[in-house]
Amino acid sequence: MDLLETLVGKGLRREPLSRAEALAVLETSDDELLDVVAAAGRVRRHWFGRRVKLNYLVNLKSGLCPEDCSYCSQRLGSKAEVLTYTWLKPGEAAAAAGAGVAGGAKRVCLVASGRGPTDRDVERVADIIAAIKERDEDVEICACLGLLSGTQAGRLQGAGVHAYSHNLNTAEAAYADICTTHEFGDRVDTVRQTKAAGLSACSGLIAGMGESDADLVDVVFALRDLDVDSVPVNFLIPFEGTPMAGKWALTPQRCLRILAMVRFVCPDVEVRLAGGREIHLRTLQPLALHVVNSIFLGDYLTSEGQAGRADLDMIADAGFEVEGTATTTLPEHRRRSKPPASNDEPERERTGDARPPQASRPARADLVTVRRRGAGTDLPPNA
């Protein structure tokens, strides 16, 4: 396909895609899917070789969030039967992080539910980081604590945080459809505060919430414009007890097209396959490794993932290797200068932007397993 050759060339040269080109990736047919994955794989291998970075989540404080994000099992009013607990003690968090590191994780992501941290919360996290670093000095630390002030970002950077994660989740025009207690601009501001404090910016999206192709392209272009270093791509986990229960709008093929579009738009950025991969990609997970260069190991915040050993076997069987601590993830040019600015293509008109109907298939609530092990429990974690 001429389109794919064009996209590969742009990816290798770090030239920005147009919105029309990004939309065209999402509109390819299933017959073209392997060609799309192969083309995205060429770009992925150019910048990241065959390395796969492993990240491990530690849920420091679970549930009872005052925000109303409709996709979240920890939201205000959620009836999802997830684990709820207050802040882990530093030793407990360090032990959970240590299990992930022992399983091969290079980065530990410390997450706490809530709108954003208080200054006291930031100090709690600083103590937790100290406990983790005492056990594993070389591990990267990413924090994900909600909306953040510049002062708090600076304190986290001083405490040893390498990156801060705060997803945009969906396009600005669609944001009010999924949350009313804060705005898209609040999330953008947190990403900017993160970068201003010298932290590596990690921000991504959730697909499968009823968004259109144009929404997906818009949020990925917003991430490109923010020049984030890492883009986690989540696929909606439709928890029972949340407003999005029963929303199964994704197929494995669509998930792969979304990942490929993100790779073409953000060619030299860490693209991470995140929550929902097991239940939406299913047996096609190994194909996704040809597009992404990063995954989460083991479990997620409130749901269980496949066994950590299965993740490692999948990586090896697909011909990839786990990225070690001695290797820097991002290409050298991203550590020294900014990539080329996006083009000046005008914003597309949103009028008449119809959203696609949900896939006509029965809900599979049996595929979602609430996490009952690891942080906040007496059972060993999945790593």
Side-chain angles (χ1 to χ4, degrees), residues 254-275:
R254 179 160 174 79
C255 292
L256 288 170
R257 281 191 284 270
I258 291 169
L259 292 171
M261 184 270 287
V262 176
R263 172 57 71 201
F264 287 128
V265 175
C266 305
D268 56 342
V269 166
E270 177 186 349
V271 178
R272 184 181 311 153
L273 181 55

Side-chain angles (χ1 to χ4, degrees), residues 103-133:
K106 180 178 180 178
R107 174 179 289 188
V108 169
C109 303
L110 304 175
V111 188
S113 62
R115 178 180 178 84
T118 65
D119 290 345
R120 183 185 177 191
D121 292 336
V122 171
E123 293 307 315
R124 291 181 197 267
V125 175
D127 290 342
I128 288 170
I129 293 167
I132 292 172
K133 289 286 190 177

